[in-house]
Structures are given as C-alpha cells and as structure tokens.
C-alpha cells in the first residue's frame, strides 16, 4: 500500500527555521521524484519545491528560493523540506507528493499525495 506521511513543524519565532519530513512506503522510493506543495484555507494548492530521484536536481517556487531547501535520503525513504527565515504567511498546510520518474512543478503531474501537515509554527 502506497503511503506518504508528513511530520515536523512546531512553534518558532519570527525568522526561525523548521524542517518538515515526509516518509514514504509501499514502493521503490528511488523511482519517484518528490515534491512539496502548500495550501492556505480557501486557496489553490501551490508548488513549493521538487527534487529528482537521486536528489541531484531541485526546483523551487521563485518566491521561496533562498529560504526553503528540499532534500531526500533514499536510504530512509524520506524527503525533507527545510524552511528558513519563516514568515506568518508560511503557516499553511504542507503536502508531499510523488511523481514517477521526474520532477514537476504542476500538482496534476503527481501520482500520490500525503494527507498533509498543517503548520502553525509561528509565534
């Protein structure tokens, strides 16, 4: 059974950092490029970052370049999203997703999704 489970977050002060994790199970992790998306209440789900199967290539939303960093550990079947210099608008629901073979910035290109992690980590 395919499963993606997001975790992480917590309270942080303005300008702080937090890391989200997404643990994958149910198929061969290295066959999938991974992505992170976020969604505010009442808004469209938007692209955050994507990473290739080996981790050698990444893409980011223009507005988040330099603040967020995506990485993966294929030995642990986990993808991470390091979020730095946090702002109140970063408090959204964060979702990880899998795309067979290649990176993608469009949410419709992804095959599997996690349940999402609501981040309220700003104080």
């Amino acid at each position: 059974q395919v499963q993606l489970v997001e975790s992480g977050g917590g309270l942080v002060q303005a300008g702080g950092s937090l890391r989200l994790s997404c643990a994958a199970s149910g198929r061969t992790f290295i066959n999938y490029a991974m992505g992170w998306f976020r969604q505010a209440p009442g808004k469209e789900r938007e692209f955050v970052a994507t990473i290739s199967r080996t981790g050698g290539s990444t893409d980011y939303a223009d507005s988040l370049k330099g603040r967020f960093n995506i990485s993966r550990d294929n030995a642990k079947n986990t993808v991470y999203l390091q979020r730095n210099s946090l702002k109140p608008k970063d408090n959204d629901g964060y979702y990880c997703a899998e795309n067979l073979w290649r990176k993608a910035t469009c949410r419709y290109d992804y095959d599997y999704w996690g349940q999402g992690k609501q981040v309220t980590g700003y104080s």
Side-chain angles (χ1 to χ4, degrees):
Q1 181 180 356
V2 175
Q3 194 170 18
L4 297 172
V5 179
E6 300 94 340
S7 63
L11 288 177
V12 66
Q13 293 185 339
S17 298
L18 283 174
R19 188 177 76 168
L20 297 176
S21 300
C22 173
S25 61
R27 63 323 196 188
T28 305
F29 184 64
I30 199 170
N31 285 347
Y32 289 83
M34 301 296 295
W36 283 99
F37 289 75
R38 67 182 185 180
Q39 187 171 20
K43 295 190 176 181
E44 296 274 323
R45 190 168 296 186
E46 64 176 12
F47 169 70
V48 173
T50 183
I51 188 167
S52 63
R53 290 179 291 154
T54 62
S57 178
T58 57
D59 290 313
Y60 296 90
D62 288 341
S63 62
L64 300 175
K65 286 180 182 177
R67 286 204 304 124
F68 285 19
N69 183 69
I70 188 172
S71 61
R72 66 190 292 162
D73 186 337
N74 286 340
K76 296 182 178 179
N77 288 359
T78 301
V79 62
Y80 304 98
L81 183 68
Q82 179 69 40
R83 306 179 309 133
N84 302 314
S85 302
L86 286 170
K87 305 174 182 180
K89 63 181 179 181
D90 294 322
N91 280 350
D92 289 337
Y94 283 79
Y95 299 83
C96 69
E98 289 188 331
N99 180 343
L100 186 62
W101 299 122
R102 59 183 175 270
K103 302 179 299 176
T105 61
C106 176
R107 66 182 188 270
Y108 299 112
D109 289 331
Y110 285 82
D111 305 299
Y112 301 107
W113 290 85
Q115 292 296 310
K117 174 67 176 179
Q118 182 62 45
V119 177
T120 56
Y122 189 86
S123 62

